[in-house]
Amino acid sequence: MRRIGTMAVAVLCGVAAVPVDAEELRIGLLTTLSGPGSGLGVDIRDGFKLGLEEKGGKLGGVAVALVEADDQRNPDVAVKLTDEMLSREKIYLMTGQVWSNLALAMMPTLARAETFFISPNAGPSVLAGKQCSPWFFNTAWQNDNNHEATGAWVQEKGYKNVYLLAPNYPAGKDALTGFKRYYKGAVAGEVYTPLDQMDFAAELANLRAAGPDATFIFFPGGQGINFIKQYDQAGLKEQIPLFGAAFSFSQDILPAVGDAAVGAVNGSQWSPDLDNPINKAFVPAFQAKYGRLPSLYAAQAYDTVLILDAAVAAAGADWPDKDKFREALRAVRIETSRGPFRFGNNHFPIQDFYAREVVKLDDGTVTNRLLGKVFSDHQDAYAAECAMP
Amino acid sequence: MDALLVLQQTLNGLQLGVMLFLMAAGLTLVFGIMDLINLAHGSFYMLGAYLAAWLTGLLGAFLPALALAMLLTGLVGILVELTTLRRLYARDHLFQVLATFGLILTFNELIAVLFGVQPIFASPPPALSGQVTLLGAPYPAFRLAIIAVGALTALALWWLIARTRLGMLIRAGADNREMAAALGVDVARLYTLVFALGAALAALAGAMAGPILAVRIGMGEDILILTFVVIVIGGIGSIRGAFVGALLIGLVDTFGRAFLPALLGAAGTSLASMAIYILMALVLGFRPRGLFPAPA
């Protein structure tokens, strides 16, 4: 674990109550650092720390104390650690969370403690619509958004008969709903697989028999790797183009699938080659510090630092006043690694979305390159249901 | 067209089945002969996949990497048996579950330290990366190779168990441990050997799975539950049971996923994911000790 400047990094377990310095902004970084899915959590932690380091360990001029903990991708552990961070570590705000089910489990505790929850990833529709909360902010996207962007691209390119696959759980259904919100053609098949399924041979044989003109998938993490490899090995990649949201084709997955993913088109709010000054500095800085290309998760965490920095700076000396801090956060309008960023009424982003294509560079690196912009200033479909102004 | 799809799905089912067999053979031997519940069996599968993927990159060839991965994982198995599990044979199953669960966490973190938390790359050897045309439809060549490896391993195991002296000792140990020990069989050494064999078989399964699945932390836990279902259906301690059980599970699971959703809609999707457990309940209803119970 690195110690950076004035930032005190405390290990949560076994540390006695810490005296709270009024001048210090205490942030809980609770994410998945061990076991399956830890690739995403580590990218979020590393992106956040890089951002904080570049700000000299301060946000808006206020020294930050970062409290890290590992939720093990387990909702019970996440809630327990949230309790500890609130009671022992006296955190002012919580961030880091990857998974929607964990975020939803943590939300009641954080709202009851009137503590801000700034999610750098998880953006469930529940928290974007009727149950939007003054204590919840998302700095990445509403879960449907990247699927919507892919759907719009597939529609625009004139595909007429698409085969859809996703895991059988709420985010999987949301993904296909998001895709179909903008794709208006025929559905050649809509398949939900168990969340723990590893082998897709049966589904791929059915897919081939159905003869669609494109395939859309939402398989994050390990399932994505399995599906992309098997799709290629079945010889389907050359016949039926593969589409998906960025989650199935991000930099945590591409090194593990290699050539099998090349040519797949995916929707995202960010791309490593996005042309803006912040991104042009961020990507090489991340690569230099950690020896790997950043994923969209790392970029989101980095942007979270920029957004918090702007909000604390705007609130000035009043930042400990939670109402003032919330107003400052709601009003943030800044440039980030993904370009212009602002929050909508429901505390979810209003931003641009792009289509990216997986390419192999001359040095053998498999990564994403921009194809074009799909949405400008796009807001999620649930914002109107949120009662916040 | 329909007949062709059925043929393809049968191959898919067989392929999943032999993969499960490679896992189940080791687990059922350890469980049946040593009376040890080894939750960490999946960790050997993961270790085999990582070692094979890493060594393939290092050596530039898949087969030597596969052999070396099996050997190394077998050695790790011996180490684990000598240092940890040996102390647990006399203990209650609950202690074994706790200790081997601890081993899972240890191996997962060890892999994170050695290879990092991001999944690593593994692909089929170039000669097997394409498709073979079967009755006019393409089928991935590597999946056929998995079926072949599984069938050969089953034959080799049958030969080992039924035709060799070591096999005779293993059968004796499975039938009646105390009697075998009383007749002068070095049971402690036999256990170490059986455990290493089980670990090497799991590594073979992992190494063969690497090119089609994600080589990542926790991959062993994904397959472990299915493996337990296989040995419960087959009869604990029986290699033949593990073989029949694995093929049954592979076929039922694949056919369920392939055809039930189209027949029954959303209910079919749910039924497909339950099919193997329904099968297990049925088998246990009629044959509580599995299809081929080892004699008591």
Side-chain angles (χ1 to χ4, degrees), chain A residues 34 36 38-39 42-43 192 194 197-199 201-203 205-206 208 222 225-226 229-230 232-235 252 255-258, chain B residues 5 8-9 12 15 109 117-122 124 131 138 140 143 210-214 216-217 222 254 257-258 269 273:
Chain A
S34 67
S38 50
V42 168
D43 260 18
Y192 292 101
Q197 186 171 318
M198 310 163 289
D199 191 3
E203 288 75 10
N206 282 354
R208 188 196 298 279
I225 297 172
N226 295 359
K229 278 181 169 182
Q230 294 168 22
D232 179 43
Q233 283 165 22
D252 60 309
V257 292
Chain B
L5 192 58
Q8 288 207 342
Q9 300 294 23
N12 290 336
Q15 180 259 311
E109 285 316 297
V117 292
Q118 307 287 2
I120 67 167
F121 178 74
Q131 298 91 39
R143 287 185 188 264
I212 57 170
L213 301 180
R216 64 186 180 94
I217 293 166
D222 294 342
T254 302
R257 283 189 287 123
T269 305
S273 52

Side-chain angles (χ1 to χ4, degrees), chain A residues 171-226:
Chain A
K173 302 210 160 145
D174 288 353
L176 299 195
T177 309
F179 178 82
K180 288 191 283 187
R181 199 171 282 139
Y182 288 86
Y183 167 72
K184 300 299 176 197
V187 172
E190 184 165 339
V191 174
Y192 292 101
T193 66
L195 193 50
D196 56 357
Q197 186 171 318
M198 310 163 289
D199 191 3
F200 298 96
E203 288 75 10
L204 289 173
N206 282 354
L207 188 156
R208 188 196 298 279
D213 61 8
T215 303
F216 172 81
I217 57 162
F218 168 58
F219 287 120
Q223 274 197 314
I225 297 172
N226 295 359

Side-chain angles (χ1 to χ4, degrees), chain A residues 29-34 36-48 70-71 96-99 252 292 297-298 301, chain B residues 117-118:
Chain A
L29 183 75
L30 181 58
T31 191
T32 307
L33 299 173
S34 67
S38 50
L40 280 63
V42 168
D43 260 18
I44 285 181
R45 179 194 64 188
D46 290 352
F48 196 91
D70 173 17
D71 61 38
Q97 196 43 251
V98 180
W99 316 102
D252 60 309
R292 63 179 195 273
Y297 310 105
Chain B
V117 292
Q118 307 287 2

Side-chain angles (χ1 to χ4, degrees), chain A residues 31-289:
Chain A
T31 191
T32 307
L33 299 173
S34 67
S38 50
L40 280 63
V42 168
D43 260 18
I44 285 181
R45 179 194 64 188
D46 290 352
F48 196 91
K49 283 185 149 183
L50 175 66
L52 201 52
E53 189 183 289
E54 288 179 358
K55 298 281 174 198
K58 293 181 174 181
L59 290 178
V62 178
V64 168
L66 194 63
V67 186
E68 285 178 48
D70 173 17
D71 61 38
Q72 301 162 32
R73 200 179 176 173
N74 178 334
D76 297 334
V77 173
V79 170
K80 191 178 130 263
L81 290 172
T82 303
D83 277 331
E84 286 184 25
M85 282 196 175
L86 289 169
S87 58
R88 268 204 239 164
E89 300 290 342
K90 314 281 184 215
I91 56 165
Y92 182 74
L93 64 87
M94 174 71 96
T95 187
Q97 196 43 251
V98 180
W99 316 102
S100 290
N101 59 329
L102 272 67
L104 287 171
M106 291 157 60
M107 196 54 220
T109 309
L110 287 163
R112 221 178 300 123
E114 303 198 330
T115 300
F116 291 107
F117 187 5
I118 318 292
S119 169
N121 196 66
S125 52
V126 183
L127 292 175
K130 284 198 183 66
Q131 295 181 50
C132 62
S133 161
W135 301 104
F136 185 82
F137 285 79
N138 177 294
T139 56
W141 22 252
Q142 196 280 315
N143 285 356
D144 301 6
N145 289 159
N146 283 332
H147 306 290
E148 293 170 348
T150 316
W153 181 265
V154 170
Q155 174 72 15
E156 190 194 311
K157 291 293 153 193
Y159 290 98
K160 298 272 182 270
N161 193 26
V162 180
Y163 202 90
L164 314 174
L165 298 112
N168 194 11
Y169 78 125
K173 302 210 160 145
D174 288 353
L176 299 195
T177 309
F179 178 82
K180 288 191 283 187
R181 199 171 282 139
Y182 288 86
Y183 167 72
K184 300 299 176 197
V187 172
E190 184 165 339
V191 174
Y192 292 101
T193 66
L195 193 50
D196 56 357
Q197 186 171 318
M198 310 163 289
D199 191 3
F200 298 96
E203 288 75 10
L204 289 173
N206 282 354
L207 188 156
R208 188 196 298 279
D213 61 8
T215 303
F216 172 81
I217 57 162
F218 168 58
F219 287 120
Q223 274 197 314
I225 297 172
N226 295 359
F227 187 91
I228 294 165
K229 278 181 169 182
Q230 294 168 22
Y231 195 78
D232 179 43
Q233 283 165 22
L236 288 164
K237 197 182 83 173
E238 282 69 32
Q239 298 167 6
I240 308 164
L242 184 59
F243 296 89
F247 316 116
S248 307
F249 302 95
S250 65
Q251 209 61 48
D252 60 309
I253 284 182
L254 294 180
V257 292
D259 293 352
V262 171
V265 174
N266 58 102
S268 179
Q269 86 287 5
W270 175 83
S271 181
D273 62 331
L274 200 57
D275 191 7
N276 66 59
I278 294 175
N279 200 40
K280 286 217 134 101
F282 162 67
V283 174
F286 188 94
Q287 221 175 346
K289 188 168 161 67

Side-chain angles (χ1 to χ4, degrees), chain B residues 29-280:
Chain B
L29 280 178
V30 169
F31 201 167
I33 296 172
M34 298 155 66
D35 195 28
L36 174 84
I37 298 185
N38 179 22
L39 292 186
H41 199 63
S43 296
F44 296 127
Y45 169 84
M46 172 176 71
L47 200 58
Y50 267 92
L51 286 173
W54 174 62
L55 289 167
T56 303
L58 218 59
L59 304 172
F62 182 72
L63 270 183
L66 175 77
L68 213 54
M70 285 177 68
L71 185 73
L72 288 173
T73 310
L75 289 177
V76 171
I78 290 179
L79 205 68
V80 167
E81 202 272 343
L82 290 179
T83 54
T84 314
L85 301 180
R86 185 153 278 204
R87 283 151 238 294
L88 299 169
Y89 296 142
R91 299 281 192 102
D92 190 69
H93 280 164
L94 187 60
F95 287 93
Q96 301 173 356
V97 166
L98 274 177
T100 53
F101 184 68
L103 281 176
I104 293 183
L105 301 180
T106 311
F107 275 112
N108 281 350
E109 285 316 297
L110 199 67
I111 291 287
V113 171
L114 291 176
F115 294 96
V117 292
Q118 307 287 2
I120 67 167
F121 178 74
S123 71
L128 295 173
S129 62
Q131 298 91 39
V132 175
T133 305
L134 285 174
L135 302 176
Y139 193 79
F142 193 75
R143 287 185 188 264
L144 289 179
I146 292 178
I147 297 178
V149 166
L152 285 177
T153 309
L155 273 178
L157 272 179
W158 169 81
W159 175 79
L160 177 82
I161 305 275
R163 290 284 183 272
T164 65
R165 182 170 170 76
L166 176 65
M168 190 182 73
L169 296 180
I170 289 177
R171 276 181 289 141
D175 282 354
N176 193 326
R177 220 165 325 163
E178 289 81 6
M179 186 58 82
L183 291 174
V185 177
D186 184 348
V187 174
R189 211 178 59 180
L190 183 69
Y191 280 12
T192 311
L193 261 176
V194 167
F195 195 79
L197 178 68
L201 284 174
L204 175 62
M208 293 304 287
I212 57 170
L213 301 180
V215 179
R216 64 186 180 94
I217 293 166
M219 65 185 290
E221 285 88 275
D222 294 342
I223 198 171
L224 190 71
I225 300 204
L226 275 182
T227 310
F228 269 107
V229 173
V230 166
I231 69 169
V232 167
I233 286 183
I236 288 160
S238 162
I239 293 277
R240 194 193 318 169
F243 188 71
V244 174
L247 291 189
L248 258 181
I249 292 285
L251 287 169
V252 166
D253 189 49
T254 302
F255 277 101
R257 283 189 287 123
F259 298 116
L260 282 181
L263 289 176
L264 303 172
T269 305
S270 312
L271 198 61
S273 52
M274 291 188 291
I276 53 170
Y277 302 103
I278 295 172
L279 174 71
M280 178 169 78

